[in-house]
Amino acid sequence: MDSEVSVLLHCAAWSGLLESQVQAELSESFNRQTDPTVEHQIEEVWTERVSKEPWLFNGSKFRLHSFRLASSPSASPKHPPHVALSDRAEPRDGELKRSEEENRCIIIANQSGSYEGNGPVKSQNPLLTLRLGLTCYKDFLGTNWSRGAAALRQRGEVEFGDPQALLAQPLGVGGVLCTDDGQVVFIRRSQRVAEAGGLLDIPGGHPEPKAVCERLGRRVREEQIGVHMMQRRAVVSELFSSVCAEIRDEVNVPLSSLGAPVLMGVALNHTSAGRPSAEFYVSCSLTSEEVTQLYRKGGAEASESTEIIFLCKTEVLQLDRCSPLWSELCPSAKGAVLLYQTVKPDRESTASENPSTS
C-alpha cells in the first residue's frame, strides 16, 4: 500500500452512493478549534505564500468533522455508527492502518446494502451523513499544509482529545471521469498550483459554501459566511455538483455530457496531515478523442494543468505501487484510484470489457 493515502470510507456495498442517499449535518461545533498562537502562525504562513504566489485566493470551505453510516439491518444497533477523522490510526511502515471503529463502519457499509437478484439496489433513503463545519483555504495552508502540522496534531490530541481539532480539514472533491470509449481521464498539474505541481491528478477541487449561499439567494462576502446560512440539501447538492463543475472548468467538458456523480467514498491525504477528499465516479458521453479536442481548446481553469492522459479502465483497476505510473500520481489521484478499485461503480461495463476483473 502507499503511506501517502488511505481510505476513510468506501461505499462498495451499493457500488457508490447517489445524491439522494447522502445527507449533511451542519454545526459550528464541527469547526476547527481556534487558538491565538495558531491564528498568528496561520497569518504568517498566508502572508509568505501570497507574496510568492499572488494568485492564491482565500475562499471558505466545508470542514469534514466526522461521518455516520446507516447501520446494518441485521445488527440493529441502538445508535448508528459514528466515525471521527481523529479515530483513524496513522499509517506506519508503508501500510494503510485503520482503527477498529473505522474498520467496523466499513464492514457495516459492506453489509447494509439491499440486494435483489445479482446486483445491489440503490436505496433512496440517506445512507451516509457527513458532519460538516466551515473553514477556509488560508487555514488549510496554515495548518494541514504547514511545517508545524505534526505539532498541531500533538496539541490537538493533548488539549482536545482530537489530533484534528486544530487542523482545517477542508473537504475536497475529485472525479474519476470515464469516457464513452472506456478511458479514465488524468491531467498533469501545472507548476502554478499550490501543491503537487507536475504530478498526475484527476479533475477536482472543493465544494464552495459561497455557492450554496448564492443558490439560496444570499449575497455575502467569504468572511461573512456561517453554517446558519446553509440548508442541508443545498450543501449536498453543492458537494455533488461541484465535482462536475471542476470537470467542466479543468477539462472543458460540458455539463450536458456528464452523468450523475456517484460517491465512491472519502480518501485521506497524509502528505497534508490527513486532509479528506470525497471521490466520485462520473461517466461521460464523449469519446477520449472528443475530450482531448475540448481540453486543447482550454477551459476556465486551463492554467491548472498542462497535459491530458488517458488510461483504460482495466489499467486503472490494476494500478498499484509496483506500476511505473504510480509514482507520477499525486496523493488525491491515488486515493481516487484506490476507491475506484474497491467500489467499482461501473462494475457491469468493466466486467464486460474484462471478465477477470468482475
Side-chain angles (χ1 to χ4, degrees), residues 17-26 62 124-130 132 212 215-216 229-241:
L17 299 181
L18 302 175
E19 182 177 332
S20 61
Q21 298 170 303
V22 179
Q23 63 184 359
E25 182 179 341
L26 308 169
F62 291 105
Q124 294 306 306
N125 296 320
L127 298 171
L128 172 66
T129 300
L130 298 174
L132 303 172
V212 175
R215 189 175 296 123
L216 297 173
M229 300 176 179
M230 307 285 173
Q231 292 180 1
R232 295 183 179 188
R233 289 314 310 173
V235 170
V236 175
S237 177
E238 168 64 12
L239 177 66
F240 276 73
S241 64

Side-chain angles (χ1 to χ4, degrees), residues 32-33 63 135 143-144 149 152-153 163-169 273:
R32 177 179 64 86
Q33 296 289 338
R63 181 180 190 267
T135 185
T143 59
N144 287 71
L152 290 176
R153 286 179 56 85
Q164 260 75 32
L166 292 167
L167 301 180
Q169 295 297 92

Side-chain angles (χ1 to χ4, degrees), residues 56-243:
L56 293 180
F57 170 71
N58 182 31
S60 60
K61 309 296 177 187
F62 291 105
R63 181 180 190 267
L64 180 61
H65 174 274
S66 53
F67 68 86
R68 185 175 68 249
L69 282 169
S71 60
S72 168
S74 60
S76 300
K78 294 182 180 179
H79 302 287
H82 163 258
V83 172
L85 271 65
S86 58
D87 290 334
R88 177 193 46 76
E90 285 296 301
R92 294 176 296 181
D93 303 325
E95 298 180 347
L96 298 182
K97 302 290 185 180
R98 297 191 185 95
S99 66
E100 292 182 3
E101 177 71 2
E102 186 179 331
N103 278 327
R104 182 170 71 87
C105 285
I106 291 178
I107 290 171
I108 290 173
N110 284 335
Q111 293 177 341
S112 58
S114 299
Y115 285 80
E116 184 176 277
N118 295 322
V121 175
K122 295 286 188 184
S123 167
Q124 294 306 306
N125 296 320
L127 298 171
L128 172 66
T129 300
L130 298 174
R131 290 178 165 172
L132 303 172
L134 291 177
T135 185
C136 65
Y137 192 64
K138 178 176 74 173
D139 287 2
F140 164 65
L141 292 183
T143 59
N144 287 71
W145 198 243
S146 74
R147 292 185 293 270
L152 290 176
R153 286 179 56 85
Q154 292 175 354
R155 281 194 58 189
E157 179 65 49
V158 171
E159 298 177 19
F160 302 99
D162 177 4
Q164 260 75 32
L166 292 167
L167 301 180
Q169 295 297 92
L171 178 62
V173 295
V176 173
L177 177 64
C178 188
T179 64
D180 192 52
D181 52 345
Q183 301 291 310
V184 176
V185 175
F186 292 88
I187 52 178
R188 190 172 299 280
R189 294 170 66 84
S190 74
Q191 297 298 336
R192 286 179 56 87
V193 294
E195 55 184 294
L199 296 179
L200 290 178
D201 200 359
I202 58 172
H206 297 86
E208 303 292 346
K210 187 173 183 180
V212 175
C213 291
E214 291 176 347
R215 189 175 296 123
L216 297 173
R218 302 177 186 270
R219 298 286 179 178
V220 295
R221 296 193 300 270
E222 295 279 355
E223 62 272 15
Q224 295 176 316
I225 296 174
V227 293
H228 64 281
M229 300 176 179
M230 307 285 173
Q231 292 180 1
R232 295 183 179 188
R233 289 314 310 173
V235 170
V236 175
S237 177
E238 168 64 12
L239 177 66
F240 276 73
S241 64
S242 64
V243 70

